[in-house]
Amino acid sequence: MRNFAPDFIPMTTFKDFNLSKPLWNALDDLQLIHPTVIQEKSFSPILSGKDVIGIAQTGTGKTLAYLLPSLKQWNFSKKATPQIAILVPTRELVAQIVEEIEKLTPYMNLVVVGTYGGANIRTQAETISQGIDVIVSTPGRFLDLALNGDLVLRDIKKLVLDEVDEMLDLGFRTQITQILEILPPRRQNLMFSATLSEEIEALLHEYFVDPVKVEAAPAGTPLEQITQEAISVPNFNTKINLLKHLIHENHELYTKVLIFVDSRKKADLLHETLEETGIPGLGVMHSNKSQNLRFNTVNEFKEGTIRYLIATDLISRGLDISEVSHVINFDVPEEAENYIHRIGRTGRADAKGHAVTFVSPFETKQWETILEFIKQQVTVDGLPENIAVSDVLIPEEMPRVEHKIIQLKLPKRENVGAAFHEKKDKNKKVNVRKDWKKAKMDKYGKPKTRGQKKK
Ligand code: AMP
């Protein structure tokens, strides 16, 4: 049995949910017994058919929170068109949620399909045309399929917007509103988000009817079972020295480590540098990598072939990679919320987690904002003595040369007349393009045609 540590309700079991037999059997196979807080809180409101907004971050069990009641209410239909649509921000999440649904429905005659951009739309349309019950998709591809007429929306009764904050951050706002406009008006809307921003409130206001709000844990509170550490490091190159040291020292403990950096460029740079030192089990993942590579990398990390995965914030949200032993924030995240998402990758389910953040002087302010946001104190320790301090800066760390704006002092112009004055004679000449053809004609007369014979 898995004990769900953060928000686990020991007194309630899934038996209290009065689930259908096929769902109950699936949960039994998965050895899931106790619901989490968000699952407990959202079950009845979702079943009641009301619109629901769930404030929950990944790791709280939010996926099952909307899947269980939605699947309980799903009825087999001979129609080939979907009844449930789930929108998520990334292709990886599409794959993950499709997998969760498949795990919950081995005893049900339900077809789920996942669609996302960057893959062949015709193949996806072909799969859809064979008949589906649930579609999980990224917003852009969902809209394209619907507008092409490949995806029929007529029978959609439930719409789930999962990780809506991330979808909005990624710029999917227009697609989401368009989808909300073209779906059948008689439907249930469910939305899940780690935080509640003004933009989300606006969406709720416009498209949701009297939504019930359920919350897993106050947003911005890191999961309790994660120990947090911070180390002061002067620059990128010294951070590399520290990272190598930590990997070397903790080889036994570091079984599955996510290393977060703030840009794709740095991710590749760090990967190359660590590879040169011969550390085994390295991997790198960011949005510039191909779809296939991203899938494979995540799988290799899940399986353990990759032990140290360097990543950008692309995968700090949503992905359920279990048993991440350590999260290393090689860079302090720019957004305070991303800190929560990053460290939330470790300490999942029943595992304890550890997060270490490298704080350079360039990032002290960001770090302080994060501490304010999480309402916790994490002291910044000094650099261990045996770490070589490098004074070689990378371009991003070079001090910027500020160009002083010099104000020219011009003499005051008094009693000056109008800006117009008569041109001097030599400047009055007008450039006229010479007509060479006419000049030749004037000089030599009409040319003889080539074909003309001499008489
Ligand atoms: P989520 O927050 O939906 O990404 O779920 C995080 C992880 O918790 C997934 O691996 C789920 O399979 C697992 N999980 C979800 N609900 C429960 C539960 N009630 N008991 C134990 N594990 C769960």
Side-chain angles (χ1 to χ4, degrees), residues 2 4 14 32 34-36 39 57-64 100 320 348:
R2 288 177 79 180
F4 201 73
F14 282 117
L32 295 178
H34 301 289
T36 65
Q39 290 163 3
Q57 59 206 49
T58 318
T60 54
K62 67 175 168 63
T63 319
L64 255 61
E100 293 257 321
D320 175 34
R348 321 210 57 205

Side-chain angles (χ1 to χ4, degrees), residues 1 15 21 23 55 60 76 89 118 144 158 170 179 186 205 224 230 254 280 295 309 357 403 408 440 447:
M1 189 200 92
K15 280 224 164 89
K21 191 117 181 81
L23 274 177
I55 307 295
T60 54
F76 176 79
D144 288 344
K158 276 186 206 297
L170 288 173
I179 293 169
R186 276 176 63 84
H205 186 72
E224 247 96 63
Y254 282 6
F295 270 131
L309 180 59
T357 305
H403 292 286
L408 281 182
K440 263 189 183 171

Side-chain angles (χ1 to χ4, degrees), residues 211-265:
V212 179
K213 187 172 158 195
V214 287
E215 209 160 334
T221 311
L223 305 174
E224 247 96 63
Q225 80 278 27
I226 302 169
T227 53
Q228 298 171 62
E229 241 186 286
I231 305 173
S232 166
V233 202
N235 49 38
F236 180 86
N237 283 313
T238 314
K239 283 184 177 183
I240 291 191
N241 295 344
L242 174 63
L243 182 62
K244 283 195 275 191
H245 166 83
L246 288 179
I247 290 178
H248 186 71
E249 287 283 292
N250 301 296
H251 191 67
E252 301 276 293
L253 289 174
Y254 282 6
T255 48
K256 205 178 262 194
V257 185
L258 261 174
I259 302 165
F260 283 109
V261 289
D262 60 14
S263 71
R264 297 183 290 215
K265 211 167 129 196

Side-chain angles (χ1 to χ4, degrees), residues 202-337:
L203 271 184
L204 285 172
H205 186 72
E206 186 143 359
Y207 297 100
F208 280 51
V209 183
D210 213 4
V212 179
K213 187 172 158 195
V214 287
E215 209 160 334
T221 311
L223 305 174
E224 247 96 63
Q225 80 278 27
I226 302 169
T227 53
Q228 298 171 62
E229 241 186 286
I231 305 173
S232 166
V233 202
N235 49 38
F236 180 86
N237 283 313
T238 314
K239 283 184 177 183
I240 291 191
N241 295 344
L242 174 63
L243 182 62
K244 283 195 275 191
H245 166 83
L246 288 179
I247 290 178
H248 186 71
E249 287 283 292
N250 301 296
H251 191 67
E252 301 276 293
L253 289 174
Y254 282 6
T255 48
K256 205 178 262 194
V257 185
L258 261 174
I259 302 165
F260 283 109
V261 289
D262 60 14
S263 71
R264 297 183 290 215
K265 211 167 129 196
K266 267 198 205 168
D268 286 332
L269 183 62
L270 181 61
H271 184 233
E272 276 166 32
T273 319
L274 290 183
E275 241 181 4
E276 278 166 18
T277 64
I279 294 171
L282 284 171
V284 61
M285 191 168 122
H286 53 64
S287 55
N288 245 13
K289 302 283 174 199
S290 76
Q291 182 52 44
N292 257 350
L293 208 78
R294 277 161 62 176
F295 270 131
N296 292 344
T297 308
V298 168
N299 283 337
E300 283 176 36
F301 188 58
K302 279 186 178 175
E303 286 158 10
T305 327
I306 291 177
R307 191 164 177 170
Y308 304 100
L309 180 59
I310 301 163
T312 56
D313 280 304
L314 170 80
I315 62 158
S316 72
R317 293 189 185 210
L319 274 194
D320 175 34
I321 300 170
S322 59
E323 287 150 37
V324 171
S325 65
H326 293 75
V327 164
I328 296 177
N329 292 313
F330 190 87
D331 289 317
V332 177
E334 265 176 38
E335 299 286 327
E337 265 173 43

